[in-house]
Amino acid sequence: MKTAHDLVAAAKARITEVAIDQAPAAIRAADVLIDVREADEYQAGHIPGAIHASRGMLEFRVSSTPALSPRDLKLVLYCKTSGRAALAAAALQDMGYLDVQSIAGGFDAWVAAGQPVALPAMPAFE
């Protein structure tokens, strides 16, 4: 029987992972940056410019969003540490997307590298 670790390792063997030092350039070159973490993780802080599509809903979200239908879009994905993003990247490849990358180390590596984080705006009380 396969474990989650086995599934992630198999996914990582067939996807492209971008090293954290090359992630900013990959994001600039991408058409879409997708955060596949859960909604509460995204709301707590995310990479600027990222759209949210949790791993559990990713295939449904991209299938129902016309702007995400072209299979030649350059997609960069991330999660907390890279496991969910690897599984998501493999799923998108299975759906026919041709240029999918995952950020090695995920959001944790992004933060550790001192990269910018978008935080939710706090309401102004007057």
Side-chain angles (χ1 to χ4, degrees), residues 22-67:
Q22 298 189 356
I27 291 168
R28 283 191 301 274
D31 295 310
V32 183
L33 173 62
I34 304 174
D35 184 325
V36 299
R37 299 175 302 155
E38 296 300 316
D40 60 329
E41 293 174 289
Y42 178 83
Q43 289 298 323
H46 55 274
I47 297 175
I51 64 169
H52 178 251
S54 66
R55 171 66 198 103
M57 295 300 295
L58 179 67
E59 295 88 346
F60 300 102
R61 292 280 312 272
V62 298
S63 292
S64 65
T65 306

Side-chain angles (χ1 to χ4, degrees), residues 1-11:
M1 178 169 52
K2 292 183 181 182
T3 65
H5 178 75
D6 295 332
L7 294 173
V8 169

